Amino acid sequence: FGTVSLSQVLMDIEGISPLDFLDAEARSSGFVNLHFTDTTKNPTKGYQYNNISSDTTISSLRESIEKKTQLTDEEIELSIQNSLVPLNCEKSLSEFMRDGSILIELSVVRKKEAVPMTIPIIVHNRIATSSVEFSLKSTATFTELLSEISTRITVPIDNFDLLTVKGSKLTSVSFQTEFVLPKDNEKITLFAIKKAHQKAQEYSSGTISPSEGQIVLVPNKTSEPVANGPQNRTIVSDYWTRKSDTGFVGLSNQGATCYMNSLIQTLYMTPEFRSALYSWCWEEKLEKEIAKLNFKTEEEKKKKIEEIEEKSIPRQLQKLFARLQLSDQRAIKTKGLTKSFGWSDADSFTQHDVQELCRVLFDALEQAFKGTAQADLVNQLYQGEMKDYVRCKECEYESSRSDYFLDIPLVIRGFGAEKPISSVEEALEKFVQPELLDGDNKYFCEKCNKRVEASKGLKFAKFPYFLTLQLKRFDFDYDKMERIKLDDRVEFPIELDMNNYLAQECLSHSQQNNCPQYTYELYSILIHRGSSMAGHYYAYIKSFDNNKFYEFNDSTVSEISMQDIEKTFGDPPDKKAWHMRSSANAYMLMYRRVDPEKNKNIISDEDIPNELKMSIIEKNQSSLRKKEESKKEKDMIQLKIFYNGNDRTLSLHNKTTIEEATKAAAELFEISHQFERSCYQLRNFQIYYEIPQDSLAGKEDQTLSSLNYYSPKSLMLETRAPDQEFLENRTGYVSIRKLDPETLKFTSIAYACVDHNTRLIDLKNIIEEKLKIPVEKQRLVAEQYPPETRTREVTGDEKLLQYDLSIEEGTKIYVEESKSPESELKVVAEIKRLKNSITISYNIPPETKQNNKLLVDKTITLEKFRGMLQPLVGLSHDDFKIFRGVHQHKTELSSDNEALKDLYIHDNCPIFIEKGRAMKSGEVRISVQLFEPFKQDDKTDYLKDLFEVIIDENTSVPSFKEILAEKLKAEKNIEVSATHIRLRDMISKTPNTIYHAQSSIKDNFKWKYGDKVVALQILSEPEPLITANTVTPFLQKWNPDKYTADEKFELTLSKDMPLSDLKAELSTISGIPSENIGLARGQGWLTPSALEIPNLVWDRPNYYSNGPSPISMSPLYLRDSELLLFRDNTLPLKELTTEERNALRKKEASSRRFIFVFQFFCDVA
């Protein structure tokens, strides 16, 4: 122990003075210890200075204090032992010693006089964020503050909403977006932020805290001019819901769809593309589709039309563009478009390559536009032509083949290159630079009839109207065997002359006379920020309407400068330190050819299809109405009024006065005709202990908002007889409830105030007076909460309530009139019933809203609860399902013998009821899907929903297969033996563990909660014996010499099989000698891209060796449903031509139908 701590302990035990333990020598020597705190900087941090002479005067410390605080004696004063003294005080420290203690507390505080305060004012306008600063004295009123802001920004303050900031920057989320501008001379709360502390500071109209703060002003649309200073009204900021000041609308990010948003915004800002898309006739397309079908009812036809529209990519893109043009929201959703892609929610959380998306989207549009005027739209706008040629050096004979391109991939750092290219022009030069074929690589010239030296390369024959350049920033490091991103600096021009890169024989006569035809202007930069493994896409796009560039970053759209564009070039070579490098750089560039006759700059609202335009305008009006209703709801306050043990809810406007609220509460409980107005009032109510607080008498003219009331607010309606008084405004109240002997319900409630002198007999006398129960017949039960709920009978009339009976403020007293003190207490049973009573909201099918209420005992079983619901919902006992929660978060309840409280059903818990067969205890509901892993035509349709099965969770797997075989025959007309069925657990549409014969259904579920999904696979032969010691992967042979993969197949193996035996098995199947077999693990079960397979890890040294390690252990870790590829290591890898590579890419993109693989290294030029 330290000296003081030990002395304190002894003083507490023996009453010994701490002075007896102080160092007598230290006291007599005349030294003190000083604890110094500078509250102007940090009120919680102090410094200890020991052995300072007690004769030191305050004034002699002045210089040291001013130097340490950087403040003068005009600004600060000292607090010594909680007494304020000026810095020039001549008293010595010894005069401030107390009780002989040598420790003195000294604090520096600001004077209460005027101290200038600098408040940064940030004004967010249409173009940029600007700020002005000025000094404001701490005595300034709030009115003067607003006036000063208006003067400085030269705009009426009422044109802005005030929000909070962090530091000196506008934050995306404010701490308070709604508050009241007060009347003068009223205490208010201004939500500002300290630079050093991120919490709201309280101000009053009399003074403003001298702490440095910040205020943000954001333009609003609904403000009205202020006539005489600030009015008492609520401002609701719509900053995050209204349209951006730039006039453009953002796109919401569904999870990881930033790459798609960037591309969609680029296409939208392309006038020629948008105009062509608007001119595509949806009705004509729909009529052709409908004409092929027959419908029995109009409802069936309507549903089919909706389904066709949902799956139509150009229609959804058309609707999205129209909403981007007409919407008044800050950002709109892209759910309709991604749904037309065939995406699931999981796909929206997977990021892909934006260039890959562009190719696949164009391919899908071409398919949809067939047979229409827009059939050749993509080719007309984006397709160029190049030639792959070989020219003989001797006879100049040239052999060439034409090919078409939608984009030009530009290599930033070629294979083996020491340094990257520095500009787009340099990359284009390298792209068309021919390669010399000499030596062993000579070319056989048919004209010369011999092998000769030749030049081989690419040359451009025609450039498209829109030129797309892809900077190949994603590469593969073969030394480290990992994906990398190149952040090197690559400059690109605003205007690009492509005439120099056109083949000479393709130049027109006008071009040969120096009249450029292929001059391009930059209009879109797609930017990637991040690494090779993860990142974020956004775009800088030019508006052809005003020639300004804007940043389209998901929901946010803002104007940018040319300096911002230059920052996307990348890092210069001298930036080597990782912490200095920028990962945000240009990835795709889009240029438009300069052609005044063809260029479009503006797309008017008249270009939008009329039916689509009217639909969006109607939705905008509906959205505006909802906003207005929402604004009205925000102005409403929900008051929970308690009266005589009952409570009801009252919804009032926040400008309602207390007088109006009091009368409304009286009408709510229908007591206004029973009592004079002077005999009832409202007062605050403590809802946890259910006791009254301060009365609102004298505040009748004040509004709910001026009292800082917000939803939900609890108030108590209090009544009195004309000859009685209202309850006093004091603490210490307990609530008293009377049990009615006839109904056994609590019918009356009263309140009594207790203190440390109150005895039990005093409380009984109050009860006799208020509830008319004689003292001798009263039996009292007390209920207390902290630290735990306790219910007990209290006796002993002379005992003190607080000290003897532990009855304090908030205790609930229940009183029962009883003839004998030995009779059974009925009040305890009613208390227990009240404690277990909960209110449940539920729906009645087919309605989905939980508008119905039911009071139930939370201790009853689910079976009994179902019986209570059965007559209410009008369905038989087993024909409806009960869910806890709503929508996608609901969980079906099936444990009939469990109590509601054990099923986590609490007060005000929503219960969702749905028609259908109810589960019983021990049963499980399973969604069965048909799994076709070898289907080659469409990788998105390997799963199809079959049916739902409710079955006992202890059912064995063989028995489950028998049941499924019967249902397949009965419901799907598929006849199959149970021995030909294979079952897999499915997690997020991915095949997982295979069910083995010795297990039950519940043994195979990895997750206790959530949807249970089983994949059913129909086999051509009886399923081999699957046990806990077997593993069944997918295997696939890769042919590197052909660049093809054979069909996948499954093989059931022992988990203990050595790797050498696996290779021997594969040798028997494929004919490849086991010593030549190479292995590579796939990612999941789907076959990777043909262009990606060569880059998988094949036979890493010491990785897939022929050792004794079993295949289920390190290093292979083979699992059910995973893909293992094998090849003949002696076969060379085929070298693909540009045409073959493009054909492979196009084939794979088409087959995936928007299931993308994020490829970083698949297309090396």
Side-chain angles (χ1 to χ4, degrees):
F1 290 94
T3 303
V4 176
S5 298
L6 178 58
S7 66
Q8 186 63 49
V9 171
L10 292 175
M11 182 185 70
D12 290 342
I13 297 174
E14 302 291 344
I16 302 173
S17 170
L19 290 175
D20 298 335
F21 290 86
L22 292 177
D23 188 342
E25 183 178 351
R27 287 203 313 274
S28 61
S29 61
F31 291 104
V32 296
N33 296 334
L34 200 63
H35 187 266
F36 176 79
T37 306
D38 184 1
T39 63
T40 65
K41 291 187 173 66
N42 190 337
T44 62
K45 186 175 182 180
Y47 302 89
Q48 186 85 10
Y49 299 95
N50 297 327
N51 298 330
I52 298 176
S53 173
S54 60
D55 294 331
T56 304
T57 62
I58 302 300
S59 58
S60 63
L61 298 174
R62 173 177 175 176
E63 183 178 350
S64 299
I65 292 174
E66 289 182 344
K67 184 177 180 180
K68 187 169 185 64
T69 62
Q70 299 294 311
L71 297 170
T72 67
D73 60 348
E74 296 179 354
E75 300 171 284
I76 60 174
E77 53 191 346
L78 299 180
S79 172
I80 303 182
Q81 308 289 52
N82 295 324
S83 298
L84 289 177
V85 296
L87 259 66
N88 57 4
C89 177
E90 296 297 333
K91 289 185 178 182
S92 65
L93 295 176
S94 61
E95 297 182 50
F96 294 96
M97 296 174 63
R98 294 180 179 174
D99 300 326
S101 173
I102 63 172
L103 181 65
I104 295 179
E105 294 283 349
L106 186 148
S107 302
V108 175
V109 296
R110 287 185 183 270
K111 284 186 178 180
K112 293 186 177 180
E113 288 82 42
V115 179
M117 170 188 173
T118 301
I119 303 178
I121 306 299
I122 302 177
V123 182
H124 188 80
N125 55 34
R126 283 179 174 270
I127 298 176
T129 299
S130 58
S131 63
V132 293
E133 293 189 6
F134 59 90
S135 295
L136 195 68
K137 295 184 180 296
S138 59
T139 53
T141 64
F142 186 66
T143 305
E144 291 171 342
L145 170 64
L146 294 182
S147 176
E148 188 71 21
I149 294 174
S150 295
T151 303
R152 296 280 177 172
I153 65 175
T154 66
V155 177
I157 188 64
D158 206 58
N159 289 345
F160 294 91
D161 294 344
L162 280 76
L163 303 178
T164 56
V165 294
K166 290 182 180 179
S168 59
K169 297 166 65 177
L170 176 65
T171 58
S172 60
V173 179
S174 64
F175 285 86
Q176 185 78 10
T177 57
E178 178 179 350
F179 62 92
V180 175
L181 287 177
K183 297 177 181 177
D184 292 341
N185 303 320
E186 284 184 9
K187 185 177 180 181
I188 60 99
T189 300
L190 172 64
F191 290 89
I193 271 296
K194 273 186 169 184
K195 281 188 175 179
H197 305 88
Q198 294 180 359
K199 62 179 182 179
Q201 299 297 306
E202 188 175 276
Y203 293 76
S204 70
S205 58
T207 60
I208 297 177
S209 168
S211 302
E212 189 170 34
Q214 299 229 338
I215 301 171
V216 171
L217 305 173
V218 181
N220 62 53
K221 292 184 176 181
T222 59
S223 299
E224 300 173 357
V226 178
N228 299 309
Q231 303 296 310
N232 194 21
R233 61 185 179 84
T234 300
I235 300 177
V236 181
S237 173
D238 60 351
Y239 180 74
W240 299 110
T241 57
R242 68 170 183 264
K243 196 171 185 176
S244 165
D245 294 335
T246 61
F248 296 108
V249 177
L251 293 173
S252 298
N253 193 328
Q254 293 186 38
T257 56
C258 53
Y259 67 102
M260 182 192 73
N261 292 348
S262 302
L263 177 62
I264 296 302
Q265 291 282 22
T266 296
L267 295 177
Y268 170 76
M269 295 292 285
T270 306
E272 291 82 354
F273 184 88
R274 196 193 329 171
S275 176
L277 187 66
Y278 284 160
S279 62
W280 177 71
C281 185
W282 157 247
E283 287 81 2
E284 183 179 330
K285 172 75 173 177
L286 181 62
E287 287 178 5
K288 291 181 180 179
E289 293 286 337
I290 294 298
K292 303 174 185 178
L293 305 171
N294 295 318
F295 303 101
K296 297 179 180 179
T297 62
E298 284 297 320
E299 184 66 24
E300 183 182 349
K301 182 178 180 181
K302 183 180 178 182
K303 286 184 178 180
K304 189 61 181 178
I305 291 175
E306 291 175 355
E307 181 184 340
I308 294 173
E309 186 173 15
E310 284 180 356
K311 292 183 178 180
S312 173
I313 293 175
R315 175 57 173 175
Q316 294 302 323
L317 194 60
Q318 194 181 63
K319 291 173 70 174
L320 186 63
F321 278 13
R323 291 172 61 206
L324 282 171
Q325 186 164 337
L326 297 175
S327 177
D328 56 0
Q329 295 180 331
R330 194 167 196 82
I332 59 175
K333 297 179 180 179
T334 56
K335 193 75 173 178
L337 181 63
T338 56
K339 192 174 182 180
S340 69
F341 292 169
W343 284 7
S344 65
D345 290 339
D347 294 322
S348 299
F349 282 88
T350 305
Q351 191 179 79
H352 306 288
D353 183 21
V354 68
Q355 185 252 1
E356 181 79 4
L357 171 63
C358 185
R359 287 175 177 270
V360 179
L361 180 60
F362 282 170
D363 182 66
L365 290 174
E366 282 184 322
Q367 295 295 325
F369 287 156
K370 282 183 178 179
T372 68
Q374 291 75 29
D376 204 34
L377 173 64
V378 173
N379 293 338
Q380 288 175 1
L381 296 180
Y382 296 95
Q383 182 176 275
E385 182 182 353
M386 67 170 64
K387 289 187 177 181
D388 187 352
Y389 70 92
V390 179
R391 183 184 295 114
C392 175
K393 287 285 188 179
E394 295 186 7
C395 67
E396 296 297 322
Y397 171 73
E398 181 178 290
S399 173
S400 64
R401 179 173 52 187
S402 294
D403 196 5
Y404 298 98
F405 66 90
L406 295 177
D407 56 63
I408 303 174
L410 300 179
V411 177
I412 293 179
R413 186 182 297 174
F415 186 77
E418 295 183 359
K419 62 178 183 177
I421 53 103
S422 60
S423 66
V424 163
E425 292 90 339
E426 182 183 347
L428 287 168
E429 291 286 353
K430 288 184 178 292
F431 190 87
V432 298
Q433 184 177 348
E435 172 190 1
L436 178 63
L437 303 179
D438 58 357
D440 294 339
N441 202 26
K442 283 185 178 180
Y443 167 70
F444 182 84
C445 177
E446 296 178 357
K447 192 172 182 181
C448 298
N449 197 28
K450 63 178 181 178
R451 294 174 65 85
V452 296
E453 290 187 353
S455 56
K456 181 181 185 300
L458 298 170
K459 54 186 176 183
F460 294 107
K462 176 188 173 184
F463 289 114
Y465 182 71
F466 289 106
L467 180 67
T468 303
L469 305 178
Q470 182 205 3
L471 303 180
K472 296 180 70 61
R473 292 196 176 273
F474 300 109
D475 207 344
F476 191 81
D477 189 328
Y478 287 94
D479 294 330
K480 297 181 180 179
M481 295 302 290
E482 65 182 15
R483 298 169 179 174
I484 59 172
K485 182 188 175 189
L486 305 174
D487 293 321
D488 301 291
R489 183 178 179 86
V490 180
E491 298 182 3
F492 48 87
I494 299 299
E495 291 189 0
L496 179 62
D497 186 357
M498 293 295 290
N499 293 289
N500 298 330
Y501 311 105
L502 197 67
Q504 289 296 317
E505 64 269 22
C506 299
L507 289 171
S508 65
H509 177 72
S510 62
Q511 287 175 301
Q512 292 172 357
N513 291 330
N514 296 323
C515 296
Q517 179 182 353
Y518 292 116
T519 302
Y520 288 86
E521 59 179 329
L522 178 69
Y523 83 96
S524 178
I525 309 166
L526 275 69
I527 303 162
H528 181 270
R529 181 179 67 232
S531 67
S532 62
M533 302 306 297
H536 175 63
Y537 284 98
Y538 57 101
Y540 290 169
I541 308 175
K542 178 181 178 180
S543 169
F544 291 111
D545 187 10
N546 57 16
N547 289 322
K548 293 181 179 179
F549 272 90
Y550 297 89
E551 177 185 333
F552 290 80
N553 194 340
D554 288 337
S555 301
T556 306
V557 184
S558 57
E559 187 178 348
I560 60 169
S561 62
M562 291 305 299
Q563 288 76 16
D564 294 315
I565 293 177
E566 291 174 2
K567 290 178 183 177
T568 66
F569 289 169
D571 288 320
D574 57 342
K575 272 197 177 180
K576 299 297 182 183
W578 65 268
H579 61 277
M580 297 174 60
R581 299 180 68 86
S582 170
S583 65
N585 31 57
Y587 177 61
M588 279 183 67
L589 305 172
M590 290 194 175
Y591 287 85
R592 185 177 76 167
R593 195 167 72 210
V594 178
D595 187 346
E597 295 182 0
K598 192 175 181 181
N599 292 155
K600 283 188 177 184
N601 295 333
I602 300 176
I603 302 296
S604 70
D605 295 349
E606 300 302 320
D607 295 326
I608 303 173
N610 190 61
E611 51 86 20
L612 193 56
K613 179 168 60 177
M614 297 307 296
S615 173
I616 294 174
I617 290 175
E618 184 179 341
K619 287 183 179 179
N620 285 344
Q621 292 173 346
S622 175
S623 176
L624 182 61
R625 287 193 298 269
K626 288 181 179 179
K627 282 183 181 179
E628 291 174 350
E629 291 172 1
S630 177
K631 187 178 179 182
K632 289 179 181 178
E633 287 180 8
K634 288 183 178 180
D635 289 337
M636 304 300 288
I637 295 179
Q638 303 299 318
L639 299 179
K640 196 169 186 179
I641 310 295
F642 290 82
Y643 175 68
N644 204 22
N646 299 312
D647 64 89
R648 297 176 186 175
T649 301
L650 189 62
S651 182
L652 297 175
H653 194 276
N654 58 16
K655 300 308 174 196
T656 304
T657 64
I658 296 300
E659 176 64 22
E660 293 168 340
T662 303
K663 292 180 178 179
E667 292 291 336
L668 184 66
F669 285 97
E670 301 177 351
I671 65 166
S672 54
H673 63 284
Q674 301 177 24
F675 296 90
E676 297 289 337
R677 174 60 190 89
S678 60
C679 292
Y680 61 87
Q681 66 173 12
L682 286 178
R683 63 190 309 141
N684 290 313
F685 192 73
Q686 218 290 350
I687 191 170
Y688 183 74
Y689 292 113
E690 298 183 21
I691 56 175
Q693 293 183 308
D694 293 344
S695 168
L696 298 181
K699 300 180 180 180
E700 286 80 6
D701 293 335
Q702 294 190 39
T703 63
L704 299 176
S705 59
S706 67
L707 293 174
N708 293 325
Y709 284 174
Y710 53 87
S711 297
K713 176 63 180 175
S714 298
L715 296 175
M716 170 185 162
L717 180 60
E718 181 185 10
T719 59
R720 66 175 177 87
D723 57 343
Q724 293 178 337
E725 297 293 332
F726 287 119
L727 295 175
E728 298 180 51
N729 286 339
R730 54 176 296 186
T731 59
Y733 279 104
V734 297
S735 60
I736 308 165
R737 289 165 173 78
K738 175 185 176 182
L739 183 71
D740 188 301
E742 301 295 332
T743 63
L744 295 181
K745 305 290 184 184
F746 294 113
T747 56
S748 302
I749 187 168
Y751 301 95
C753 195
V754 300
D755 56 30
H756 62 280
N757 293 320
T758 308
R759 298 170 302 162
L760 181 58
I761 188 61
D762 300 329
L763 179 61
K764 287 186 174 183
N765 290 331
I766 296 174
I767 294 174
E768 182 176 17
E769 177 188 351
K770 293 192 174 186
L771 299 180
K772 311 305 181 187
I773 302 176
V775 170
E776 63 275 8
K777 293 185 179 182
Q778 293 179 21
R779 293 187 67 182
L780 307 184
V781 173
E783 183 182 68
Q784 296 166 301
Y785 287 102
E788 60 183 13
T789 303
R790 293 178 297 149
T791 302
R792 56 190 171 79
E793 185 175 7
V794 289
T795 58
D797 289 352
E798 296 304 320
K799 290 182 179 180
L800 294 173
L801 294 183
Q802 291 186 357
Y803 296 117
D804 299 326
L805 300 175
S806 299
I807 294 177
E808 300 175 338
E809 181 180 40
T811 301
K812 293 180 180 178
I813 304 295
Y814 300 93
V815 57
E816 176 181 339
E817 187 174 353
S818 177
K819 296 179 181 179
S820 169
E822 288 79 22
S823 60
E824 182 183 358
L825 274 172
K826 300 176 182 177
V827 69
V828 176
E830 178 61 11
I831 294 173
K832 185 177 180 181
R833 188 193 67 81
L834 286 177
K835 287 175 65 65
N836 291 330
S837 294
I838 57 174
T839 301
I840 290 175
S841 56
Y842 66 97
N843 65 299
I844 298 178
E847 296 294 328
T848 58
K849 290 185 178 181
Q850 285 94 345
N851 294 327
N852 308 282
K853 302 288 184 182
L854 181 63
L855 187 68
V856 298
D857 188 328
K858 64 182 179 182
T859 61
I860 65 172
T861 62
L862 179 64
E863 176 69 18
K864 189 172 182 180
F865 179 55
R866 182 182 295 277
M868 295 173 65
L869 287 174
Q870 189 262 321
L872 299 175
V873 298
L875 297 171
S876 61
H877 186 276
D878 295 328
D879 287 343
F880 63 92
K881 297 175 280 186
I882 302 176
F883 296 86
R884 181 184 64 246
V886 292
H887 308 305
Q888 69 269 27
H889 303 296
K890 64 180 187 287
T891 301
E892 187 172 0
L893 305 177
S894 60
S895 303
D896 289 341
N897 297 322
E898 285 195 61
L900 296 184
K901 65 177 183 178
D902 297 328
L903 295 172
Y904 304 104
I905 296 179
H906 50 78
D907 195 27
N908 295 317
C909 179
I911 293 296
F912 189 82
I913 298 174
E914 192 176 276
K915 287 184 179 180
R917 152 86 151 81
M919 285 196 302
K920 298 177 182 179
S921 296
E923 290 185 333
V924 62
R925 188 185 304 275
I926 300 175
S927 296
V928 182
Q929 296 179 331
L930 181 63
F931 178 50
E932 300 176 285
F934 308 119
K935 191 172 183 180
Q936 297 295 322
D937 57 336
D938 193 343
K939 292 183 180 179
T940 64
D941 288 344
Y942 60 85
L943 280 178
K944 291 183 179 178
D945 292 332
L946 288 176
F947 39 67
E948 280 190 348
V949 177
I950 298 178
I951 193 168
D952 190 295
E953 61 183 10
N954 293 311
T955 303
S956 67
V957 170
S959 300
F960 186 34
K961 289 181 180 181
E962 293 286 352
I963 294 171
L964 293 177
E966 293 176 5
K967 285 186 71 68
L968 282 171
K969 183 177 180 180
E971 297 185 19
K972 300 297 179 180
N973 200 25
I974 299 175
E975 192 162 351
V976 61
S977 170
T979 58
H980 288 62
I981 290 178
R982 171 169 287 165
L983 301 179
R984 279 183 173 86
D985 192 21
M986 291 295 289
I987 301 176
S988 299
K989 295 188 177 181
T990 302
N992 213 281
T993 309
I994 296 176
Y995 289 17
H996 59 85
Q998 291 85 7
S999 64
S1000 65
I1001 293 175
K1002 72 175 181 180
D1003 295 335
N1004 291 279
F1005 289 137
K1006 291 190 175 183
W1007 312 111
K1008 181 178 179 181
Y1009 301 103
D1011 295 336
K1012 307 294 189 297
V1013 182
V1014 169
L1016 184 152
Q1017 180 185 353
I1018 299 177
L1019 305 177
S1020 58
E1021 298 178 356
E1023 183 181 33
L1025 180 63
I1026 304 294
T1027 69
N1029 197 43
T1030 59
V1031 60
T1032 306
F1034 290 103
L1035 293 113
Q1036 192 167 24
K1037 181 187 173 187
W1038 164 247
N1039 305 303
D1041 57 330
K1042 301 177 183 178
Y1043 235 97
T1044 60
D1046 294 349
E1047 290 188 9
K1048 288 197 293 280
F1049 62 93
E1050 291 176 288
L1051 192 61
T1052 300
L1053 308 165
S1054 170
K1055 288 183 179 180
D1056 299 325
M1057 173 184 281
L1059 191 59
S1060 55
D1061 290 359
L1062 172 62
K1063 289 189 175 183
E1065 183 77 20
L1066 293 176
S1067 176
T1068 303
I1069 295 172
S1070 64
I1072 304 172
S1074 59
E1075 64 271 13
N1076 295 337
I1077 288 180
L1079 300 175
R1081 286 190 57 175
Q1083 296 179 352
W1085 73 279
L1086 288 171
T1087 304
S1089 159
L1091 297 171
E1092 190 179 26
I1093 290 178
N1095 295 314
L1096 295 174
V1097 180
W1098 288 91
D1099 290 320
R1100 184 184 296 175
N1102 300 322
Y1103 195 76
Y1104 296 151
S1105 64
N1106 291 325
S1109 177
I1111 59 177
S1112 61
M1113 304 296 287
S1114 175
L1116 198 55
Y1117 288 115
L1118 207 55
R1119 297 288 183 266
D1120 283 345
S1121 310
E1122 290 185 351
L1123 177 65
L1124 182 67
L1125 293 110
F1126 64 96
R1127 70 178 180 185
D1128 187 340
N1129 280 336
T1130 62
L1131 295 177
L1133 180 64
K1134 178 183 178 181
E1135 292 188 11
L1136 297 177
T1137 65
T1138 303
E1139 294 80 7
E1140 289 173 326
R1141 188 176 296 277
N1142 289 338
L1144 270 177
R1145 184 187 294 114
K1146 188 171 183 179
K1147 178 183 177 182
E1148 290 171 357
S1150 176
S1151 67
R1152 282 183 222 148
R1153 280 182 58 195
F1154 296 90
I1155 294 184
F1156 306 111
V1157 176
F1158 196 4
Q1159 298 178 358
F1160 296 95
F1161 49 88
C1162 67
D1163 48 354
V1164 180

